[in-house]
Amino acid sequence: MADNPSAQLPARLVVEQGPEPDKTFTVGNAPQTIGRSANNGIVINDAEISRRHAQLTPQADSYVLEDLGSTNGTFVNGLRLEQPTMLNHGDSVEFGDTVQLRFWAAGMPSEVIYNPADDVVTPALPPEPVPAYAQPADLLEPTPAPPPTFDEFDEPETAVSPNRNRILIGCGCLLVLACVLCVGTVFFLDSYQQGELLYCGGLRPFWETVLGPVGFNPACP
């Protein structure tokens, strides 16, 4: 029996934070419930723990931890259990916010075993290159800009585009044509039927207002 490490170091839960620090609960080969009530296999009397808080079930070479609908939750390594979870050697088991236990697997000492393969060696960084500062002799003198010539001052700042000239000429022609048509229309209506159509129609108040002060009084039928 002395050569069997499992018999010397059974699977166990050790209280690290709670009502009884350093208390060890040996985990058997049958399912055990954990809670505040006295009829549980592992009894922890703390207000954060429900009457039937969680359950440990042997499976393979370890145990499966399952939350039984507790009020304050069951956590493994800081993560809340949403489904049954297999425990590994050295896992931290928390019930609520005030109770924390450590799971030690059967045949394993009470310390976390690190795998050397998990240690990734950080490669050495290459030395940083020494910056090369420019010497005064290496600096190029700025080339002075040539003085401006008189031709540059004679050039206009902006040139009028040919399209703009065409638009201005077209607008001027349309304005002249409109004036000619207006004057021609007035002369035509003035001579037509002795101006009756021009002066006696709907524009009669306009002509009386404009030409009345100079004695113009159109004879209308």
Side-chain angles (χ1 to χ4, degrees), residues 157-176:
E157 294 183 358
T158 56
V160 180
S161 61
N163 293 333
R164 184 178 177 183
N165 290 333
R166 295 191 187 98
I167 294 174
L168 293 176
I169 294 173
C171 292
C173 294
L174 290 176
L175 183 60
V176 172

Side-chain angles (χ1 to χ4, degrees), residues 61-166:
D61 296 332
S62 186
Y63 292 82
V64 172
L65 180 63
E66 179 182 2
D67 186 83
L68 298 179
S70 63
T71 302
N72 297 316
T74 302
F75 303 82
V76 174
N77 298 326
L79 299 177
R80 185 162 188 163
L81 293 187
E82 302 295 341
Q83 58 186 358
T85 300
M86 181 79 71
L87 293 179
N88 296 313
H89 177 65
D91 280 350
S92 173
V93 179
E94 301 93 21
F95 301 115
D97 296 328
T98 60
V99 179
Q100 178 179 348
L101 297 88
R102 184 74 59 180
F103 172 74
W104 304 116
M108 301 297 292
S110 298
E111 58 184 6
V112 179
I113 305 300
Y114 295 100
N115 187 357
D118 296 335
D119 296 333
V120 179
V121 180
T122 303
L125 298 177
E128 296 183 359
V130 179
Y133 297 99
Q135 300 298 324
D138 299 334
L139 299 177
L140 299 177
E141 295 183 359
T143 303
T149 60
F150 291 100
D151 295 337
E152 296 178 357
F153 295 101
D154 297 336
E155 295 179 358
E157 294 183 358
T158 56
V160 180
S161 61
N163 293 333
R164 184 178 177 183
N165 290 333
R166 295 191 187 98

